[in-house]
Short mmCIF file of all heavy atoms in Angstrom, two decimals:
data_model
loop_
_atom_site.label_atom_id
_atom_site.label_comp_id
_atom_site.label_asym_id
_atom_site.label_seq_id
_atom_site.Cartn_x
_atom_site.Cartn_y
_atom_site.Cartn_z
N GLY A 276 152.81 84.79 167.12
CA GLY A 276 151.94 85.12 165.98
C GLY A 276 152.45 86.27 165.12
O GLY A 276 151.73 86.79 164.27
N GLU A 277 153.72 86.65 165.31
CA GLU A 277 154.26 87.82 164.59
C GLU A 277 154.94 87.43 163.27
O GLU A 277 155.23 86.25 163.06
CB GLU A 277 155.26 88.56 165.48
CG GLU A 277 154.61 89.17 166.71
CD GLU A 277 155.60 89.49 167.83
OE1 GLU A 277 156.50 88.68 168.10
OE2 GLU A 277 155.47 90.56 168.43
N THR A 278 155.20 88.42 162.43
CA THR A 278 155.94 88.19 161.21
C THR A 278 157.06 89.21 161.12
O THR A 278 157.13 90.11 161.95
CB THR A 278 155.08 88.38 159.94
OG1 THR A 278 154.86 89.80 159.75
CG2 THR A 278 153.75 87.67 160.02
N ALA A 279 157.92 89.09 160.10
CA ALA A 279 159.01 90.05 159.95
C ALA A 279 158.73 91.03 158.81
O ALA A 279 159.65 91.57 158.21
CB ALA A 279 160.33 89.32 159.73
N GLU A 280 157.43 91.27 158.55
CA GLU A 280 157.08 92.20 157.47
C GLU A 280 157.72 93.57 157.66
O GLU A 280 158.08 94.23 156.71
CB GLU A 280 155.57 92.35 157.40
CG GLU A 280 154.95 91.26 156.58
CD GLU A 280 153.43 91.26 156.63
OE1 GLU A 280 152.83 91.77 157.60
OE2 GLU A 280 152.85 90.71 155.69
N ILE A 281 157.80 94.00 158.92
CA ILE A 281 158.35 95.32 159.21
C ILE A 281 159.71 95.19 159.90
O ILE A 281 160.68 95.88 159.56
CB ILE A 281 157.37 96.14 160.06
CG1 ILE A 281 156.09 96.36 159.22
CG2 ILE A 281 157.98 97.47 160.49
CD1 ILE A 281 154.97 97.02 159.94
N ALA A 282 159.79 94.30 160.85
CA ALA A 282 161.03 94.03 161.60
C ALA A 282 161.65 95.35 162.10
O ALA A 282 160.96 96.15 162.71
CB ALA A 282 161.99 93.18 160.79
N CYS A 283 162.93 95.60 161.78
CA CYS A 283 163.59 96.81 162.26
C CYS A 283 163.59 97.93 161.19
O CYS A 283 164.28 98.94 161.36
CB CYS A 283 165.05 96.54 162.63
SG CYS A 283 165.24 95.16 163.74
N GLU A 284 162.88 97.69 160.08
CA GLU A 284 162.89 98.65 158.97
C GLU A 284 164.32 98.98 158.55
O GLU A 284 164.61 100.11 158.14
CB GLU A 284 162.15 99.94 159.34
CG GLU A 284 160.65 99.75 159.44
CD GLU A 284 159.89 101.03 159.64
OE1 GLU A 284 160.51 102.09 159.92
OE2 GLU A 284 158.65 101.02 159.48
N PHE A 285 165.20 98.03 158.66
CA PHE A 285 166.59 98.29 158.33
C PHE A 285 166.76 98.67 156.85
O PHE A 285 167.67 99.42 156.49
CB PHE A 285 167.44 97.06 158.64
CG PHE A 285 168.92 97.23 158.46
CD1 PHE A 285 169.69 97.99 159.36
CD2 PHE A 285 169.57 96.67 157.36
CE1 PHE A 285 171.05 98.15 159.17
CE2 PHE A 285 170.94 96.83 157.17
CZ PHE A 285 171.68 97.57 158.08
N TYR A 286 165.85 98.17 156.03
CA TYR A 286 165.89 98.49 154.58
C TYR A 286 165.85 100.00 154.38
O TYR A 286 166.54 100.52 153.49
CB TYR A 286 164.71 97.81 153.89
CG TYR A 286 164.72 97.89 152.38
CD1 TYR A 286 165.58 97.09 151.63
CD2 TYR A 286 163.84 98.74 151.71
CE1 TYR A 286 165.58 97.16 150.25
CE2 TYR A 286 163.84 98.81 150.31
CZ TYR A 286 164.69 98.00 149.58
OH TYR A 286 164.72 98.05 148.21
N ASP A 287 165.11 100.69 155.21
CA ASP A 287 165.01 102.15 155.08
C ASP A 287 165.92 102.89 156.04
O ASP A 287 166.20 104.06 155.84
CB ASP A 287 163.55 102.60 155.33
CG ASP A 287 162.63 102.08 154.27
OD1 ASP A 287 162.90 102.30 153.08
OD2 ASP A 287 161.65 101.40 154.63
N ARG A 288 166.32 102.21 157.11
CA ARG A 288 167.05 102.94 158.15
C ARG A 288 168.52 102.57 158.24
O ARG A 288 169.18 102.90 159.21
CB ARG A 288 166.40 102.61 159.53
CG ARG A 288 164.98 103.09 159.65
CD ARG A 288 164.31 102.60 160.92
NE ARG A 288 162.96 103.05 160.98
CZ ARG A 288 162.57 104.19 161.57
NH1 ARG A 288 163.44 104.94 162.20
NH2 ARG A 288 161.31 104.55 161.54
N TYR A 289 169.02 101.87 157.23
CA TYR A 289 170.40 101.36 157.35
C TYR A 289 171.41 102.47 157.55
O TYR A 289 172.43 102.29 158.23
CB TYR A 289 170.76 100.46 156.15
CG TYR A 289 170.94 101.24 154.86
CD1 TYR A 289 172.17 101.70 154.48
CD2 TYR A 289 169.85 101.51 154.04
CE1 TYR A 289 172.34 102.43 153.30
CE2 TYR A 289 170.00 102.23 152.88
CZ TYR A 289 171.24 102.70 152.52
OH TYR A 289 171.40 103.42 151.38
N GLU A 290 171.12 103.65 157.00
CA GLU A 290 172.14 104.70 157.11
C GLU A 290 172.32 105.16 158.55
O GLU A 290 173.40 105.20 159.08
CB GLU A 290 171.77 105.91 156.24
CG GLU A 290 171.93 105.61 154.76
CD GLU A 290 171.84 106.85 153.90
OE1 GLU A 290 171.80 107.98 154.46
OE2 GLU A 290 171.81 106.70 152.67
N SER A 291 171.20 105.49 159.20
CA SER A 291 171.30 105.94 160.59
C SER A 291 171.70 104.78 161.51
O SER A 291 172.46 104.95 162.46
CB SER A 291 170.02 106.60 161.05
OG SER A 291 168.90 105.79 160.75
N ASP A 292 171.23 103.57 161.16
CA ASP A 292 171.62 102.43 162.01
C ASP A 292 173.13 102.20 161.95
O ASP A 292 173.75 101.90 162.96
CB ASP A 292 170.86 101.16 161.58
CG ASP A 292 169.43 101.17 162.11
OD1 ASP A 292 169.15 101.92 163.05
OD2 ASP A 292 168.60 100.43 161.57
N LEU A 293 173.69 102.31 160.79
CA LEU A 293 175.15 102.08 160.69
C LEU A 293 175.94 103.18 161.38
O LEU A 293 177.03 102.93 161.87
CB LEU A 293 175.57 101.87 159.24
CG LEU A 293 175.23 100.48 158.71
CD1 LEU A 293 175.41 100.37 157.22
CD2 LEU A 293 176.06 99.39 159.40
N LEU A 294 175.38 104.36 161.40
CA LEU A 294 176.05 105.43 162.18
C LEU A 294 176.12 105.05 163.65
O LEU A 294 177.13 105.25 164.33
CB LEU A 294 175.29 106.75 162.03
CG LEU A 294 175.59 107.54 160.73
CD1 LEU A 294 174.66 108.75 160.64
CD2 LEU A 294 177.06 108.00 160.71
N LEU A 295 175.03 104.47 164.10
CA LEU A 295 174.97 104.00 165.50
C LEU A 295 175.99 102.86 165.73
O LEU A 295 176.67 102.81 166.75
CB LEU A 295 173.56 103.46 165.72
CG LEU A 295 172.96 103.46 167.11
CD1 LEU A 295 172.97 104.85 167.70
CD2 LEU A 295 171.49 102.97 167.02
N HIS A 296 176.08 102.00 164.74
CA HIS A 296 177.03 100.89 164.80
C HIS A 296 178.45 101.43 164.91
O HIS A 296 179.27 100.97 165.69
CB HIS A 296 176.85 100.03 163.53
CG HIS A 296 177.56 98.73 163.52
ND1 HIS A 296 178.89 98.61 163.13
CD2 HIS A 296 177.16 97.49 163.86
CE1 HIS A 296 179.25 97.33 163.21
NE2 HIS A 296 178.23 96.63 163.67
N LYS A 297 178.70 102.45 164.14
CA LYS A 297 180.01 103.10 164.14
C LYS A 297 180.29 103.70 165.55
O LYS A 297 181.38 103.58 166.08
CB LYS A 297 180.02 104.18 163.07
CG LYS A 297 181.15 105.17 163.14
CD LYS A 297 182.22 104.72 162.17
CE LYS A 297 183.43 105.61 162.29
NZ LYS A 297 184.61 104.96 161.78
N GLU A 298 179.23 104.33 166.07
CA GLU A 298 179.35 104.97 167.38
C GLU A 298 179.73 103.94 168.46
O GLU A 298 180.45 104.25 169.40
CB GLU A 298 177.99 105.60 167.72
CG GLU A 298 178.03 106.65 168.79
CD GLU A 298 176.61 107.13 169.09
OE1 GLU A 298 175.80 107.32 168.13
OE2 GLU A 298 176.28 107.29 170.29
N LEU A 299 179.25 102.72 168.30
CA LEU A 299 179.56 101.69 169.30
C LEU A 299 181.02 101.20 169.19
O LEU A 299 181.52 100.57 170.08
CB LEU A 299 178.62 100.48 169.16
CG LEU A 299 177.14 100.77 169.46
CD1 LEU A 299 176.34 99.46 169.45
CD2 LEU A 299 176.96 101.47 170.79
N GLY A 300 181.63 101.48 168.03
CA GLY A 300 183.07 101.19 167.92
C GLY A 300 183.42 99.90 167.21
O GLY A 300 184.59 99.50 167.15
N PHE A 301 182.41 99.19 166.66
CA PHE A 301 182.70 97.95 165.96
C PHE A 301 183.30 98.24 164.59
O PHE A 301 182.81 99.14 163.90
CB PHE A 301 181.45 97.09 165.80
CG PHE A 301 180.95 96.55 167.12
CD1 PHE A 301 179.96 97.21 167.83
CD2 PHE A 301 181.50 95.40 167.63
CE1 PHE A 301 179.53 96.72 169.05
CE2 PHE A 301 181.08 94.88 168.85
CZ PHE A 301 180.07 95.56 169.56
N ASN A 302 184.28 97.43 164.17
CA ASN A 302 184.89 97.69 162.87
C ASN A 302 184.42 96.73 161.76
O ASN A 302 184.88 96.78 160.64
CB ASN A 302 186.41 97.71 162.98
CG ASN A 302 186.97 96.37 163.49
OD1 ASN A 302 186.29 95.35 163.46
ND2 ASN A 302 188.22 96.39 163.93
N ALA A 303 183.49 95.85 162.10
CA ALA A 303 182.98 94.92 161.09
C ALA A 303 181.48 94.72 161.28
O ALA A 303 180.98 94.71 162.40
CB ALA A 303 183.70 93.57 161.18
#
Side-chain angles (χ1 to χ4, degrees):
E277 294 161 318
T278 74
E280 275 172 337
I281 296 173
C283 309
E284 291 187 347
F285 184 75
Y286 188 75
D287 295 307
R288 296 172 182 268
Y289 71 92
E290 289 192 7
S291 50
D292 282 341
L293 283 169
L294 279 173
L295 206 57
H296 190 274
K297 167 97 185 158
E298 197 184 320
L299 296 187
F301 291 96
N302 60 17

